[in-house]
Amino acid sequence: MGNRLFFVPLIVAFALSGAGHYLHWNMTLQFVISAIAIIFVAGFLGRATESVSHYAGQRLGGFLNATFGNAAELIIAIFLVRDGLFDMVKASLTGAIIGNLLLVLGLSVFVGGLKFKTQRFNADLAGMNGSLMLLAVIALFVPAAFFTTHSINAEGTKTLSLVVAGILIVAYLLWLVFSMITHKDMLSDESERAEEREEESPLWSKKLSIIFLVISTVMVALVSEWLVETLDTFTSQFGLSELFVGAFVIAIVGNAAEHSAAVMLAMKNKIGAAVEIAIGSSLQIALFVAPVLVFISSLFGNTMDIVFTTIEMVAIGVAVFIAKSISQDGRTNWYEGLLLLVVYIILGVSFYLV
């Protein structure tokens, strides 16, 4: 019954979004329907990933949830790169990073903290995540610093961006080896994993979960393209800046899968898995998705540099600073979640007024 109640609005929203696109409905109406549809398909993606995660284990499951949860952002960004909308791409990447670190993590910690006084997770993993977040800030800061001080020209910046992108991809792949193979035991949370196996049962069979994972990813790709095609009209009609739309509207819509999965896990006192999804997703955006987009843009014939604006750098730096300070001790409470949400609201208002 529960699955039926979920699938009916999912299919209706997806069908309406497709109809709006191919029948050329009003652009604003198309945007609203596509935004609603992508929340449903992202939720479907989250459910499918959660079901697959049951068979894969918590560490690999958290990685899969972050990876497929980022599918919406990556696919949207690829369409934006294809259209040469680099500023909106960077804004959406910024929004995805701060959205995961502040909104997703903040909501998870806040809601979980209301139910459980103190929630604990692996402190070693928290420390490593903090170091990786700082690496992401450094990697984004260096090209921007050299470009804005006119130490290198635009062509040199693109070359530097490709080099930095390649290094970040290698660093991220080696992090996966470190966290899932060579130091897997150090970073795992045995009590949480055992509890999950005892209490949880998968939504679907292993085969059906994988099929649904593929179907939901395709649905996300289609709705993402339909959504991107409405953005120009939507931003101009409501007088919104590309920075705000990219950093908050697209990011909130694209983060729907992480929102649902992380918050539900936190409410079940599985804060370790929620942190893995939220912070792991931000790291994946900064260390893998953004660099991959640089190479993809190069294939389209116009290389996107990795130089972010001062505003975007400040937003990412602030988000990393408070997320690291709150998560580094391996313990959370509802007030720490509130602090993350407060910072997100401050940044949101600031971006809106730009």
Side-chain angles (χ1 to χ4, degrees), residues 287-299:
L287 303 180
F288 186 76
V289 173
V292 163
L293 288 171
V294 173
F295 285 106
I296 289 175
S297 67
S298 183
L299 294 176

Side-chain angles (χ1 to χ4, degrees), residues 268-307:
K268 296 173 184 175
N269 203 24
K270 297 185 174 75
I271 194 64
V275 169
E276 178 71 17
I277 290 170
I279 295 182
S281 185
S282 287
L283 290 175
Q284 192 174 77
I285 291 286
L287 303 180
F288 186 76
V289 173
V292 163
L293 288 171
V294 173
F295 285 106
I296 289 175
S297 67
S298 183
L299 294 176
F300 283 125
N302 184 16
T303 303
M304 179 182 77
D305 61 48
I306 208 167
V307 175

Side-chain angles (χ1 to χ4, degrees), residues 31-84:
F31 174 85
V32 172
I33 293 173
S34 295
I36 294 171
I38 206 167
I39 290 172
F40 277 107
V41 296
F44 180 32
L45 184 62
R47 283 186 168 208
T49 308
E50 186 179 352
S51 190
V52 170
S53 300
H54 176 87
Y55 301 101
Q58 184 168 308
R59 285 287 300 145
L60 182 56
F63 168 71
L64 287 173
N65 209 313
T67 300
F68 283 94
N70 281 334
E73 284 105 324
L74 176 59
I75 294 166
I76 290 173
I78 289 173
F79 288 124
L80 292 172
V81 164
R82 180 198 63 187
D83 296 339

